[in-house]
């Protein structure tokens, strides 16, 4: 089950059909000032509809279910586990612009250890939705904490936002950093410093 405050399915009555999606893309092309029927754009609506299925695949995933299989062989390990530099691709919900960067996910197990690929899948499940980076960071941390019940969780995301680099202030090379600390990491400043050193180490 997904955490009660983090539903994994959107609260909509009906998803638009493929035809409706493609028609909407044609409208956007025309709004941009181009002809949706010209040769180079004729197949664009179908391509965009397919791309949406990939960009927003996270709505069809229950993030908590990804963490259900645990390994008992490592049940005595209680030091920090860190998976760093997880590639992150998301979409800003304010302008539908891309968010790209990397996530670092750490936890201190209390008898429950998951495969490292599940941490990457957890990031992807929440990232491939319309997002705010702050909420994304908290969603990953809270789900990991609620399902595995570790002694501590730390999530750090560094990302660039297309809505800032391609419009508005048009600033390139700017990245945003968000952090979520739970349990031991929230209580112990030295643990946080040690984790940050591990992330920046070559």
């Amino acid at each position: 089950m997904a955490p009660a405050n983090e539903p994994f399915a959107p609260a909509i009555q009906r998803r638009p059909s493929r035809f409706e999606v493609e028609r909407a893309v044609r409208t956007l092309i025309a709004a941009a000032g181009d002809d949706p029927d010209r040769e180079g754009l004729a197949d664009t609506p179908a391509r965009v509809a397919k791309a949406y299925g990939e960009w927003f695949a996270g709505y069809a995933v229950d993030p908590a279910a990804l963490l259900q299989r645990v390994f008992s062989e490592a049940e005595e390990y209680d030091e920090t586990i860190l998976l760093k530099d997880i590639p992150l691709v998301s979409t800003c919900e304010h302008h539908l612009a891309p968010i790209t960067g990397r996530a670092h996910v750490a936890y201190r197990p209390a008898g429950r250890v998951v495969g490292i690929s599940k941490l990457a899948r957890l990031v992807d499940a929440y990232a491939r939705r319309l997002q705010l980076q702050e909420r994304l960071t908290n969603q990953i941390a809270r789900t990991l904490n609620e399902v595995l019940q570790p002694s501590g969780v730390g999530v750090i995301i560094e990302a660039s936002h297309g809505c800032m680099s391609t419009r508005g202030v048009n600033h390139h090379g700017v990245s945003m950093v968000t952090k979520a600390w739970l349990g031991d990491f929230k209580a112990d400043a030295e643990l946080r410093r040690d984790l940050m050193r591990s992330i920046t180490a070559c």
Side-chain angles (χ1 to χ4, degrees):
M1 289 286 291
N5 62 336
E6 303 291 4
F8 68 90
I12 58 174
Q13 294 182 349
R14 182 187 70 85
R15 287 200 176 194
S17 68
R18 183 70 173 256
F19 172 77
E20 290 172 310
V21 173
E22 292 184 17
R23 184 172 60 186
V25 175
R26 287 177 57 85
T27 299
L28 289 175
I29 292 172
D34 214 320
D35 177 8
D37 290 318
R38 73 173 173 83
E39 183 178 2
L41 292 170
D43 294 328
T44 296
R47 293 191 191 104
V48 173
K50 182 179 180 181
Y52 260 53
E54 298 176 25
W55 291 334
F56 302 113
Y59 284 114
V61 178
D62 179 354
L66 298 171
L67 305 176
Q68 294 302 317
R69 184 182 180 190
V70 296
F71 297 101
S72 59
E73 293 89 345
E75 62 185 8
E76 294 184 5
Y77 187 87
D78 59 3
E79 295 297 325
T80 299
I81 294 173
L82 166 65
L83 187 63
K84 66 179 187 176
D85 296 322
I86 303 168
L88 182 144
V89 176
S90 190
T91 304
C92 169
E93 66 180 43
H94 291 159
H95 298 96
L96 300 185
I99 300 172
T100 57
R102 54 185 180 165
H104 315 286
V105 178
Y107 70 104
R108 293 172 62 79
R112 308 187 72 190
V113 174
V114 294
I116 58 174
S117 68
K118 300 304 187 292
L119 299 179
R121 291 181 183 276
L122 176 63
V123 170
D124 208 46
Y126 279 123
R128 290 189 177 274
R129 305 176 181 202
L130 294 170
Q131 275 292 7
L132 298 175
Q133 185 175 327
E134 298 90 337
R135 181 175 63 223
L136 172 61
T137 307
N138 281 334
Q139 286 176 327
I140 296 167
R142 289 173 182 169
T143 300
L144 190 59
N145 190 58
E146 291 179 19
V147 178
L148 295 187
Q149 299 181 347
S151 60
V153 172
V155 176
I156 302 96
I157 292 179
E158 308 169 54
S160 298
H161 292 244
C163 57
M164 186 172 184
S165 62
T166 63
R167 56 161 301 281
V169 294
N170 284 290
H171 284 180
H172 297 269
V174 177
S175 62
M176 178 175 172
V177 178
T178 48
K179 304 172 186 176
W181 308 116
L182 298 174
D184 289 353
F185 287 110
K186 188 174 184 68
D188 191 331
E190 183 53 37
L191 269 180
R192 296 196 298 272
R193 285 192 289 268
D194 182 65
L195 177 60
M196 296 305 294
R197 284 193 292 265
S198 296
I199 290 172
T200 57
C202 296

